[in-house]
């Protein structure tokens, strides 16, 4: 089941799939932002039901979804294009043991993470998760009371972000310029003084 989900993630194209509108398990891609978070910077929303996973980009920027199962050592990364609605089918029980993480850029160009959270936790809440972007991280919020209040999503620290940030920092470092170092012989000053020659003394 897990492999089926991961294969679906890897093989899906960028376009959304046309699915029956009357299916109660298909998330809606037209959810309004909750009033309590409407003034915030919200780059994405995530919905998980018993049969489908949906991530929707709300900004003109590229983001990344990281699916993982630590027990099996599986990690899959799927890009989320600007304003894309990615709708992925989930087989029965396919979300069990799966965790997810959203990675995006900050306004200043830093990589930010939502932290890792279980798919089953989002599915059981029956609410969408709206990701708020702050200068230091992405914070997931689930709306309550018709969007008038919010509950923060519980997450664990990212295990992938430090590696990505380190790799990106190394790639951004300029190559040290080559400075020619003269050989020791090139630094020697030539001795221009006259050398004394031995002369025979005249006979007495």
């Amino acid at each position: 089941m897990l492999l089926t989900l991961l294969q679906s993630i890897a093989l899906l194209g960028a376009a959304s799939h046309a699915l029956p509108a009357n299916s109660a398990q298909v998330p809606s891609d037209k959810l309004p932002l909750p009033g309590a978070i409407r003034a915030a910077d919200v780059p994405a929303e995530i919905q998980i039901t018993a049969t489908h996973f949906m991530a929707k980009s709300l900004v003109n920027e590229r983001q990344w979804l990281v699916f993982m199962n630590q027990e099996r050592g599986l990690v899959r990364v799927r890009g989320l294009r600007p304003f894309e609605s990615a709708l992925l089918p989930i087989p029965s029980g396919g979300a069990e043991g799966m965790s997810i993480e959203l990675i995006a850029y900050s306004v200043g160009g830093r990589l930010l993470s939502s932290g890792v959270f279980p798919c089953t936790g989002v599915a059981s809440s029956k609410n969408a998760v709206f990701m708020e972007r702050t200068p230091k991280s992405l914070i997931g919020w689930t709306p309550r009371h018709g969007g008038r209040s919010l509950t923060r999503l519980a997450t664990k620290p990212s295990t992938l972000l430090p590696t990505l940030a380190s790799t990106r920092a190394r790639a951004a470092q300029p190559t040290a310029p080559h400075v020619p170092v003269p050989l020791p012989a090139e630094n020697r000053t030539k001795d221009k003084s006259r050398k004394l020659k031995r002369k025979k003394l005249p006979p007495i």
Side-chain angles (χ1 to χ4, degrees):
M1 293 179 184
L2 175 62
L3 290 177
T4 305
L5 172 61
L6 294 176
Q7 288 166 357
S8 300
I9 293 167
L11 296 176
L12 277 173
S16 301
H17 290 257
L19 292 165
N22 58 359
S23 174
Q25 300 297 313
V26 179
S28 171
D29 65 347
K30 300 189 183 301
L31 287 181
L33 282 177
I37 201 174
R38 197 164 292 162
D41 180 8
V42 182
E45 68 179 66
I46 292 174
Q47 297 180 65
I48 303 175
T49 68
T51 60
H52 290 85
F53 168 91
M54 193 192 79
K56 182 179 180 181
S57 170
L58 304 176
V59 291
N60 189 24
E61 303 168 21
R62 190 165 180 79
Q63 302 174 71
W64 294 268
L65 299 164
V66 183
F67 299 87
M68 63 193 77
N69 185 299
Q70 292 184 348
E71 292 181 359
R72 302 193 183 187
L74 295 174
V75 178
R76 296 292 184 274
V77 180
R78 186 198 191 279
L80 186 63
R81 300 197 301 181
F83 300 114
E84 178 189 3
S85 292
L87 186 61
L88 314 178
I90 301 177
S92 177
E96 295 177 5
M98 289 291 294
S99 296
I100 188 170
E101 175 182 2
L102 178 69
I103 293 178
Y105 285 114
S106 70
V107 176
R110 288 180 52 202
L111 285 174
L112 302 177
S113 168
S114 64
V116 180
F117 54 93
C119 292
T120 52
V122 176
S124 63
S125 72
K126 298 182 180 179
N127 283 308
V129 174
F130 294 88
M131 294 295 177
E132 178 188 7
R133 177 164 49 186
T134 70
K136 294 184 178 180
S137 66
L138 300 172
I139 302 174
W141 299 101
T142 54
R144 304 291 183 194
H145 308 104
R148 295 187 300 273
S149 62
L150 303 167
T151 300
R152 183 165 180 167
L153 183 68
T155 62
K156 294 181 179 179
S158 170
T159 56
L160 187 62
L161 187 63
T163 303
L164 291 176
S166 176
T167 302
R168 188 166 176 258
R170 286 198 302 269
Q173 287 179 350
T175 305
H178 174 68
V179 179
V181 179
L183 296 174
E186 296 176 1
N187 274 342
R188 292 177 183 171
T189 56
K190 191 172 182 180
D191 186 5
K192 295 182 180 180
S193 60
R194 290 183 63 185
K195 294 182 179 180
L196 297 176
K197 294 181 180 180
R198 289 185 178 181
K199 293 183 179 182
K200 292 182 178 181
L201 295 175
I204 299 176

